[in-house]
Amino acid sequence: MDIAIEKVESKGIEQWIVCTGSLKMSFNDQLSAMAFSSKLKERVEAPHSLPVIESEAFEQVAELDCII
């Protein structure tokens, strides 16, 4: 996941924007933007376990008739 931090000035006010995908979050200072992006990266890169699907769920789906 790409995470970018941009500095934006509008009407003399400095803001920092953290961008990733379609998400854009604004912060009043660089330190807050960097802390957020660091925590976001840490959480995205953390190990995640896949959910366990019981075999009964597959049987129920097999019994469904789908009309498209």
Side-chain angles (χ1 to χ4, degrees), residues 15-39:
Q15 285 194 316
W16 296 84
I17 311 295
V18 176
C19 305
T20 180
S22 62
L23 174 69
K24 292 186 178 189
M25 300 286 297
S26 66
F27 297 87
N28 293 329
D29 57 84
Q30 183 181 16
L31 187 61
S32 297
M34 291 178 72
F36 175 81
S37 62
S38 176
K39 180 58 81 171

Side-chain angles (χ1 to χ4, degrees), residues 13-68:
I13 299 173
E14 182 178 280
Q15 285 194 316
W16 296 84
I17 311 295
V18 176
C19 305
T20 180
S22 62
L23 174 69
K24 292 186 178 189
M25 300 286 297
S26 66
F27 297 87
N28 293 329
D29 57 84
Q30 183 181 16
L31 187 61
S32 297
M34 291 178 72
F36 175 81
S37 62
S38 176
K39 180 58 81 171
L40 178 61
K41 182 178 180 188
E42 178 184 318
R43 290 182 176 176
V44 167
E45 292 177 351
H48 295 82
S49 61
L50 295 174
V52 176
I53 300 174
E54 298 187 24
S55 61
E56 293 174 9
F58 288 112
E59 293 171 9
Q60 291 173 358
V61 171
E63 294 174 5
L64 296 176
D65 290 327
C66 297
I67 300 173
I68 299 177

